Amino acid sequence: MDSAIVYWLDLAGTMVFALSGVLLACRSRMDPIGMLVLAAATAVGGGTMRDLVLGVQPVFWVTDTTYLWVVLATVGASLIGYRYIHRLNRVFLPVADAFGLALFVVIGANKALLLGFSGVVAVLMGLFTGVAGGMIRDVLARRVPLVLRSEIYATAAIAGGVVYVVCEVLGVAHLGLVLSLATTLGLRLAAIRWKVSLPVFVWAMIDPDVSTRQAADADFTASVHTDQPPGKPVRRKMRVRMVHHRKARTLWAEDE
């Protein structure tokens, strides 16, 4: 890989991830310090975890403080243009985040391979680099991390990492860079465009005369009509099904 191009793209990905942390801080009504913390956690958290796991000391942003300056500049620009940054949340930021994810996966996997680790470890390091920062950000904001929900996010990162490692083993590193970026980016953008998601497990409380499949297909809830005599309690049963996340909301509210 051309190290200079990758370096500048890495800084661009750092800026995008920092901006996503700023936007979440705004939605969570945090002060400027909170914005800075979430921006830094999102931008360099994944790479920091990667370096710590791989035993790289000091971590990358200690040896190259340009990453910290990019985070500071992003937060500063957001504070100046705070009236307009919320408009980036609809179209630009999800797409830019997908580009950042694809690039971070390649960088993490490549670093692990350069240090002599196995392909499995390289795929995991690509995953860590791409998603760990967002997980830290969501935890600090008291949200369920995006990667642990039904979004096609970690799946895209794993697929891109596998493609890159396979191409490296076959000796086509430059092709692997392109194919890995295309795989991660294609899966993530397709998930955003067509709202594709993984199925989720849902607990459903249904009446004894209604099957769980009928409850899911017909959008039944706990108040399904039955022929039980008035005043007689209905013994509902708890069932578990794997359904689409939209169907899950009809069977079991997220806050229950």
Side-chain angles (χ1 to χ4, degrees), residues 14-25:
T14 300
M15 182 186 66
V16 172
F17 275 28
L19 187 58
S20 71
V22 168
L23 288 172
L24 181 56

Side-chain angles (χ1 to χ4, degrees), residues 161-173:
V162 170
V163 169
Y164 181 78
V165 170
V166 170
C167 290
E168 282 282 349
V169 172
L170 296 177
V172 285

Side-chain angles (χ1 to χ4, degrees), residues 234-249:
V234 178
R235 296 178 59 85
R236 294 187 175 92
K237 298 181 179 180
M238 185 73 75
R239 293 291 185 267
V240 180
R241 271 186 59 87
M242 182 179 286
V243 298
H244 192 270
H245 68 94
R246 296 192 189 94
K247 190 74 69 176
R249 296 192 186 101

Side-chain angles (χ1 to χ4, degrees), residues 96-203:
D97 180 83
F99 277 94
L101 173 67
L103 182 64
F104 278 15
V105 167
V106 172
I107 292 174
N110 178 69
K111 189 166 188 177
L113 291 177
L114 289 177
L115 293 174
F117 291 95
S118 66
V120 175
V121 174
V123 173
L124 290 177
M125 292 304 102
L127 177 64
F128 275 18
T129 309
V131 308
M135 292 181 65
I136 298 173
R137 173 202 63 201
D138 291 342
V139 169
L140 291 175
R142 295 188 299 178
R143 297 177 56 188
V144 178
L146 181 68
V147 67
L148 300 181
R149 288 180 282 171
S150 55
E151 291 276 353
I152 302 294
Y153 201 87
T155 307
I158 293 173
V162 170
V163 169
Y164 181 78
V165 170
V166 170
C167 290
E168 282 282 349
V169 172
L170 296 177
V172 285
H174 292 286
L175 179 61
L177 171 62
V178 176
L179 291 180
S180 177
L181 291 175
T183 300
T184 305
L185 188 61
L187 289 175
R188 183 62 188 139
L189 292 180
I192 295 173
R193 173 62 180 84
W194 290 290
K195 302 186 185 305
V196 181
S197 63
L198 296 176
V200 298
F201 287 101
V202 59
W203 294 92

Side-chain angles (χ1 to χ4, degrees), residues 6-117:
V6 172
Y7 177 73
W8 286 106
L9 290 176
D10 190 17
L11 292 179
T14 300
M15 182 186 66
V16 172
F17 275 28
L19 187 58
S20 71
V22 168
L23 288 172
L24 181 56
C26 292
R27 289 197 295 269
S28 302
R29 300 179 180 179
M30 294 186 180
D31 61 15
I33 298 300
M35 293 173 62
L36 180 60
V37 170
L38 258 62
T42 312
V44 301
T48 300
M49 289 190 61
R50 174 202 64 211
D51 286 356
L52 291 176
V53 172
L54 294 179
V56 177
Q57 293 183 351
V59 295
F60 71 101
W61 53 266
V62 174
T63 57
D64 186 359
T65 57
T66 305
Y67 292 93
L68 299 181
W69 287 112
V70 169
V71 173
L72 287 172
T74 303
V75 175
S78 301
L79 291 174
I80 296 173
Y82 68 94
R83 297 178 183 271
Y84 307 101
I85 60 173
H86 68 280
R87 299 178 183 177
L88 300 176
N89 195 32
R90 297 181 179 180
V91 178
F92 171 78
L93 189 60
V95 175
D97 180 83
F99 277 94
L101 173 67
L103 182 64
F104 278 15
V105 167
V106 172
I107 292 174
N110 178 69
K111 189 166 188 177
L113 291 177
L114 289 177
L115 293 174
F117 291 95

